[in-house]
Structures are given as structure tokens and as C-alpha cells.
Amino acid sequence: MASSYHEVYQGWKMDPQGFWKEAAAAIDWFTPAEKIFDPSHGVYGAWFTGATCNTCYNCVDRHVERGRKGQAAIIHDSPITGKKRTITYEELLDEVQALAHVLKELGIEKGDRVIIYMPMVPEAAVAMLACARIGAIHSVVFGGFAAAELATRIDDSTPKLIISASCGIEPGRVIAYKPLLDKAIDLARHKVTKTVILQREELSCDLIEGRDFDYATTVGEAKAIDVQVPCEPVAATDPLYVLYTSGTTGQPKGVVRDNGGHMVALKWSMQNLYGIEPGEVFWAASDVGWVVGHSYIVYGPLLHGCTTILFEGKPVGTPDAGTFWRVISEHGVAALFTAPTAFRAIKKEDPKGEFVGKYDMTTLRTLFLAGERADPDTIHWAEDKLKVPVIDHWWQTETGWAIAGNPVGLGTLPVKYGSPTVAMPGYDMRVLDDAGHPLEPNQLGNIVVKLPLPPGCLPTLWHADTRFKDAYLAEFPGYYKTADAGFIDEDGYLYIMARTDDIINVAGHRLSTGAMEEVIAEHKDVAECAVIGIADKLKGQLPLGFLILNSGVNRDPAEIEKEVVALVRDKIGPVAAFKLAIAVKRLPKTRSGKILRGTMQKIADGEEWKMPATIDDPAILDEIGETLKERGISD
Ligand code: COA
Ligand code: AMP
């Protein structure tokens, strides 16, 4: 089919408000918007002001009311525990109402924050929806973060309650969540006085009398009396959730998502970008702790009346490199969305794709990749083995949905390998030089979005309008800074090349090297440090830390390196994947004292590099190169 993309994009450009007004008709509102876009509201304006709505109603109730009662809403497929569970829309409504009732009984009101610290179990999605139902603002924290990271999020979002579980499960180990939760509550300045804990069969935990409430007991009691909890009308501009993402320091950014614009954008994307019909099965193989999980495990598919898969496992090792194909064939998945790193992991285990042939995957129409740059090798392999279009698309926690993609629902455009294709309606993309001047096609620069951002994108950071302005809007007035560098070609295709800040991307996970440096600097024997991201065949990038030890330290540097690795794991969490720390004598710096991280990264990756004109002592770069060779990090 010929793509209607250009027509649709032009239509949006000619009449942005008309475009989003039409898209908003797919959502059920309690009261319609007075203004589609109000430039006087919030930091840069707001979408659907005056409207009231409820996200849970749109995700659950309306499907029950309109013929989807018996359809599976969530399929939990957990090869890591050997369990599977299907929850219909009707059952989901019961479960969500019951938990919403429990939350209300525990004193949660509209506008209160609730942290959700859970593994990939359906109760995590139920918790998100229960909060949405009563107008509480959830903040999901990824299970791979350590107690200190959880504590930082507790202090910033000041929740009244935390919903958690007794454990998460990683290959070969059960992770007790309760000690992490208790430690985080202890560490945080803001005191959380109530929790709801889901006890899992794999490992149960002790509950603290008066503080910890058992999920099964409380929800079970609410179900037994068949509680009805109406959906609370909230303003379209009210926050649905806060999701923390890495910034340039140890203080993560609380990305705020509103209710109205978020629903409109996600619903539009399900049909027009992903090309999915209501009733079909959509699978985002990510985690509810990431934005992909929020948007496309929970909200997008449910808003659209789809069945969503909540997968608790890994692409390899649970039990083998055929797991993804089994899930697709068993549940009739129409579209799979994951990070390229998952495919690199599968390709490494099963280069010939022999597992693919063992399953009937005729339902699969499209594979979507995001979260990191999709390398052409991985795309070619996936195309060759799966025989379906492989669509790279680019977005960020901040935007909540794709900035650029190849719109399957509108008809796909020709693929250019290495490009996530074109801007979605709502995004007016520009490439600017560092002084803010527009660049010609194919010239590398800062990728920015002309304000306003479309519905679904962050209106601000949680209780931090000034930080929001400083971090995203100040450098290029009138534009949102994506902090990605790249270019746009003569056909309007975007190319995303690198971050312009110190964020690195490890296995599709966004991590701050600055945050790691802050942790390393706490070690008593470390005088100075620098963390860079080096290329890794599997995970895309891996963090590597250089340490300068305090003078007078005469312990074995290898011992200190190990302690530093353990410290980062303990403070940030295993997800940091920080396993490489090297003690060096000196760090290369400019004459003004700036550490030359970029040059060190090029040396480590074996890329061509130029001696920076401003370098203080050129010999230090040779020393670094030698050390990297000795340690087997570069050749
Ligand atoms: N709870 C606790 N620990 C967790 C965790 C969680 N929810 N998730 C990951 N971890 C741990 C891992 O067990 C690992 O620990 P280890 O150092 O003891 O081995 C560490 O954090 C690093 O995790 P990760 O970088 O994900 O590596 P991995 O070896 O476990 O898996 C992949 C590698 C490629 C298979 C996996 O990252 C993957 O499937 N990624 C693609 C999908 C995805 O997550 N995308 C996110 C955005 S779309
Ligand atoms: P996150 O906020 O975790 O989703 O990470 C967002 C960042 O991941 C972006 O700013 C990019 O640097 C990177 N990213 C995400 N998707 C892509 C993609 N398709 N191509 C290149 N980089 C991507």
C-alpha cells in the first residue's frame, strides 16, 4: 500500500490543533477540552486543557462495557518461574478495583504519589492502573536499581505508599526485594509509613506489623465484597505518573506524564505507527520500569483494546534462544517490540537462527526496535530470519512515544538502514549547530524539536520547572533539546548518532556516567575518576571507570578496583553493568582542567582520534592507550 505518511504529516503541519482534536475523538472524556492546546498553561503550553478524563477507564472499563469482557487483557508469560497466567479485561477490572479500594482504605487520595517497585508480574500493571483509577500518581522504579536509587526517588516524589513484592527473579538467582525496600525506606529522608507487598512463591518475606500490608489478603478481601471503585475524573493536564530517568548527575530527572495528551498520543501510535488493530496481541519485551514498559506493555495496548504480553524472562537462557519465538507462536503475537541488544543476544547464541524454524510465527507482522541505535547487521539478521519488516524507531523517556519511526499503519516508507525513518506528526524536527543556527541536510548537529512538543511528551519535571527549562529548553530557545546528535537527510530521514551529554546506553538501558562518577568519588582511596562508555558487541556500550588513587595509598590497586565495582553495584544497582574499573596514574585533561572523556573513549574503541589542541600533557593519552592494551580492553 502506498504510504499516506506525507499527506498525514502535512495535514498535521497545516493544522496541528485540528489533527490532535481528531485523534482525541478515539478517547472517552468526562468533559471535552476547552482548548486543544493552551500556550498559556504550564512551562511551554499544555494539551487538552479544561478536559477531564480517566486513563484507567479508557484502558479497562470501556472495553468491558463494549464487548471485550472475555478477551485477554494481559498474558503473563514467565519462563523464569515456569508460570503463565491470562487475565481477561473483566478480571482485570475486578483486580484493579480491588487494589484501588485497598489504596483508598490506606488513605491514598487524588494527587498522592505511590511508588511501585516490582518485578515483571501482572500486579505491577494492576498497581499502575489502580493508581490511575483513583487519580493517584504512580512512580515505577525498575527492579534492577539498588536501595540508594530507590531512596533518591522516594525523596523526590514523596510517596504516601509503596507497592512492592517479596522478590524478583534473575537467571540463577532470586533477588529479595524486601531488604532493598526496607533499606531504601530507612535511607530516605521522606518517611513512607505504608506498603503493600505481593508475596511470591519463590521467596516470601516478613511483613512489618502496621506498615506492610499483604497484597493477596487485602485485595482478596476487597474482591470478596465485590467492591466498586468509580474512576476519578482528573484534569487532562494532571500527572498520571512520574518516571525517573538518568540525568547528568546522580539526581535523576522525574519525567512527568499527563493523562489526556498521553492517551491521545499512545492511541494514535498503536493504530498509525504500529499498525495494530484492537483485539490483536502486542508484545513489548521490555520492563514496566522503563518508558517502553509504561507506554507499550501497559498503557498503549490497553488503551487500544489489545492483549498485551508481560514477559518475565530474558531473550536467551530462559531456557534458550527460542523463547521469543515460542511466545510469539503460543500467544499469536502480531507485533514484537524490543531493544536491538535482545536480538544481538539471540544472534550470539543462535547465529543461524535455527530456533526460528521450530515455531509457527505466521501471526507476526512486524518487529519494532528502539532504545538504542539499531545497527544494520542486527536489522539484516532479524529481517532474514523472521521474514517480517524490521522497524527502527527513536524516542526517549521524555517523549513517551516515538519521535521518529516508519509508520506501519499509514503504510511503510522505504527503509534506509541506520535511520529510524521520519518524524511522527507532532514533531517538527530541526538540526542546529552549537550556536543555534539551522544546518543543511546531512550536516551533523544537535537534534531539536520546535516547541510545542506534541501530546504525550513531558510537560515538565516533577516539581522542577526550572530544571526542566534549564536542561531542555534554555540552550536553544524555542526548541526542545533531545541531547541526541545526528542529521536529517534530503528526504527527511533522521539519523541518530550519539548523545551530546554523558548518558550512555547499556543493553538498551539509559545510564548516567556522571552518576557513576559521583558514587566512585565516595570511595576513600579515590582522588579523582572518569567514567566513559566503550563499545560492546552485545550491550552496545559498557561503562569503564578510570581511577586516580589518593597519594599515599599503598594497597593493591586491583583490590580497590574490585571495591569500586562493588560500590557502584551496591549504590546504583546491577543494572549499571559496571564491571570495568582501572587505576591509572593520570587522567588526560585540557589546560582548563576538563577531562578528555571523548578522546579516551575513541582510544578504547580503536577509533581514529586527533590530539586535542588544548591538551595539557599529550603523553597521558599514550599512557591510557598502553593501559587499555595491557588490560585487554583495546588492541
Ligand atoms: N532486577 C534485578 N536485577 C536485574 C534486573 C532486575 N529487574 N534486570 C537486570 N538485572 C541485572 C542482571 O541480572 C545483570 O546482573 P549481573 O551483573 O549479575 O549479570 C545486570 O542487572 C545487568 O543487566 P543487563 O545489562 O540487562 O544484562 P543481562 O546479562 O541480564 O541481559 C540482555 C542482557 C541483552 C539479554 C538484556 O539486557 C535484554 O534483554 N535487553 C533488551 C530488552 C530491554 O530490556 N530493553 C529495555 C528498553 S526497551
Ligand atoms: P530512554 O530515555 O531510556 O528511552 O533513552 C533514550 C535515548 O536512547 C535516546 O536519547 C537515544 O540516545 C537512545 N535511543 C533510543 N532509541 C534509539 C534509536 N532508535 N536509535 C538511536 N538511539 C536511540
Side-chain angles (χ1 to χ4, degrees):
M1 123 180 156
S3 179
S4 60
Y5 165 77
H6 293 289
E7 210 177 293
V8 171
Y9 189 81
Q10 274 315 313
W12 160 73
K13 245 188 156 172
M14 304 284 289
D15 180 12
Q17 300 209 24
F19 180 90
W20 290 117
K21 185 176 178 193
E22 200 183 315
I27 297 302
D28 283 17
W29 306 88
F30 292 129
T31 43
E34 283 157 19
K35 288 190 179 160
I36 300 301
F37 181 74
D38 182 353
S40 68
H41 194 294
V43 178
Y44 64 85
W47 292 97
F48 307 108
T49 52
T52 58
C53 55
N54 185 284
T55 296
C56 181
Y57 178 79
N58 278 277
C59 287
V60 186
D61 301 55
R62 67 168 175 167
H63 302 310
V64 173
E65 289 163 15
R66 293 177 212 162
R68 296 196 186 279
K69 259 186 185 182
Q71 182 194 311
I74 299 176
I75 297 175
H76 182 224
D77 190 309
S78 171
I80 205 147
T81 59
K83 289 184 188 138
K84 286 177 207 164
R85 179 179 163 201
T86 298
I87 302 172
T88 64
Y89 271 99
E90 191 177 30
E91 289 163 347
L92 182 61
L93 178 57
D94 285 352
E95 186 87 14
V96 168
Q97 291 206 81
L99 182 59
H101 173 80
V102 171
L103 295 179
K104 286 189 103 166
E105 291 285 296
L106 292 173
I108 305 303
E109 292 168 8
K110 183 171 169 174
D112 287 340
R113 274 79 58 213
V114 172
I115 279 188
I116 300 171
Y117 183 60
M118 292 187 104
M120 283 290 284
V121 288
E123 289 79 2
V126 169
M128 293 161 80
L129 293 163
C131 289
R133 189 170 194 88
I134 61 173
I137 301 164
H138 63 69
S139 187
V140 183
V141 178
F142 178 63
F145 282 121
E149 288 287 322
L150 179 55
T152 308
R153 286 152 176 81
I154 293 174
D155 280 334
D156 198 71
S157 64
T158 58
K160 256 197 189 162
L161 181 142
I162 299 181
I163 307 176
S164 189
S166 53
C167 68
I169 298 137
E170 284 293 292
R173 68 185 200 274
V174 173
I175 295 153
Y177 272 32
K178 193 59 182 358
L180 296 171
L181 176 67
D182 289 344
K183 188 172 169 197
I185 292 177
D186 272 356
L187 282 173
R189 285 185 308 280
H190 169 79
K191 285 301 157 205
V192 176
T193 54
K194 289 183 185 108
T195 76
V196 176
I197 308 288
L198 177 79
Q199 296 278 17
R200 300 191 75 188
E201 270 175 19
E202 291 73 18
L203 179 76
S204 63
C205 60
D206 292 335
L207 301 183
I208 299 173
E209 183 76 32
R211 190 198 76 178
D212 300 333
F213 296 83
D214 179 61
Y215 182 103
T217 311
T218 51
V219 169
E221 282 166 4
K223 272 192 188 161
I225 53 165
D226 206 11
V227 287
Q228 309 283 309
V229 179
C231 291
E232 180 77 33
V234 297
T237 51
D238 279 346
L240 168 68
Y241 69 76
V242 180
L243 176 60
Y244 287 87
T245 190
S246 302
T248 48
T249 65
Q251 180 65 32
K253 293 169 171 168
V255 167
V256 173
R257 194 83 58 212
D258 68 11
N259 276 274
H262 176 242
M263 285 196 280
V264 173
L266 292 192
K267 179 86 172 98
W268 186 91
S269 73
M270 288 301 295
Q271 192 84 47
N272 298 287
L273 170 56
Y274 298 103
I276 292 293
E277 294 299 326
E280 291 195 303
V281 183
F282 189 84
W283 179 23
S286 177
D287 189 287
V288 285
W290 306 118
V291 70
V292 175
H294 280 63
S295 294
Y296 294 108
I297 295 175
V298 182
Y299 290 114
L302 297 180
L303 283 167
H304 204 44
C306 290
T307 299
T308 185
I309 309 270
L310 212 128
F311 173 76
E312 191 181 21
K314 302 270 172 180
V316 293
T318 57
D320 54 39
T323 309
F324 272 25
W325 326 138
R326 181 207 36 94
V327 172
I328 291 167
S329 76
E330 206 169 308
H331 307 300
V333 172
L336 167 64
F337 175 170
T338 191
T341 189
F343 267 74
R344 289 196 296 269
I346 295 170
K347 186 175 148 202
K348 194 172 159 210
E349 292 274 300
D350 180 21
K352 292 191 185 142
E354 282 165 357
F355 277 105
V356 179
K358 297 188 178 163
Y359 298 94
D360 173 6
M361 291 201 287
T362 42
T363 54
L364 186 73
R365 289 198 303 273
T366 329
L367 167 66
F368 293 92
L369 297 176
E372 57 176 323
R373 191 177 152 76
D375 51 293
D377 269 3
T378 301
I379 299 185
H380 286 305
W381 187 87
E383 280 176 340
D384 182 48
K385 302 299 174 223
L386 301 185
K387 314 275 184 246
V388 296
V390 178
I391 307 289
D392 177 18
H393 60 323
W394 166 59
W395 51 299
Q396 312 181 310
T397 304
E398 289 85 345
T399 65
W401 66 291
I403 310 170
N406 198 340
V408 174
L410 300 176
T412 41
L413 296 168
V415 171
K416 294 194 192 186
Y417 293 96
S419 164
T421 320
V422 289
M424 289 297 98
Y427 294 97
D428 183 353
M429 306 306 300
R430 309 289 169 90
V431 181
L432 306 179
D433 68 14
D434 288 347
H437 303 120
L439 291 171
E440 294 294 313
N442 297 309
Q443 281 189 308
L444 186 70
N446 301 285
I447 310 186
V448 298
V449 187
K450 189 164 184 300
L451 291 173
L453 290 165
C457 294
L458 81 173
T460 189
L461 295 174
W462 179 250
H463 285 183
D465 284 353
T466 305
R467 188 175 181 202
F468 173 63
K469 284 184 224 162
D470 291 348
Y472 300 99
L473 310 183
E475 195 169 338
F476 303 106
Y479 299 93
Y480 163 84
K481 179 177 86 166
T482 65
D484 276 310
F487 59 91
I488 304 179
D489 76 5
E490 52 291 337
D491 298 323
Y493 280 56
L494 281 111
Y495 290 79
I496 315 303
M497 308 310 288
R499 291 284 302 195
T500 58
D501 54 14
D502 69 354
I503 299 288
I504 58 169
N505 200 313
V506 180
H509 307 141
R510 170 169 161 179
L511 300 169
S512 161
T513 53
M516 293 185 215
E517 288 177 6
E518 281 179 27
V519 169
I520 297 170
E522 286 172 25
H523 192 286
K524 64 176 181 11
D525 293 336
V526 174
E528 204 181 359
C529 65
V531 176
I532 59 171
I534 58 167
D536 180 70
K537 278 203 175 72
L538 175 65
K539 296 194 180 184
Q541 281 184 299
L542 279 181
L544 163 65
F546 294 99
L547 324 172
I548 308 264
L549 304 185
N550 282 318
S551 57
V553 171
N554 49 19
R555 296 166 58 207
D556 180 0
E559 218 174 274
I560 299 169
E561 289 169 0
K562 268 195 206 144
E563 288 168 8
V564 162
V565 166
L567 190 64
V568 174
R569 193 174 172 96
D570 182 51
K571 288 282 166 75
I572 297 183
V575 68
F578 183 83
K579 295 187 173 160
L580 300 168
I582 303 184
V584 290
K585 284 202 185 70
R586 306 184 293 173
L587 283 171
K589 291 185 184 170
T590 61
R591 282 189 285 275
S592 59
K594 223 174 139 229
I595 299 174
L596 292 161
R597 292 180 177 77
T599 314
M600 289 198 288
Q601 183 229 310
K602 286 200 169 78
I603 295 173
D605 290 348
E607 286 174 26
E608 260 183 53
W609 58 279
K610 273 197 215 124
M611 184 63 72
T614 53
I615 193 162
D616 187 30
D617 181 352
I620 302 179
L621 284 176
D622 294 332
E623 285 171 21
I624 294 284
E626 280 308 311
T627 309
L628 289 171
K629 267 188 211 153
E630 278 165 24
R631 302 291 283 257
I633 290 168
S634 67
D635 23 67

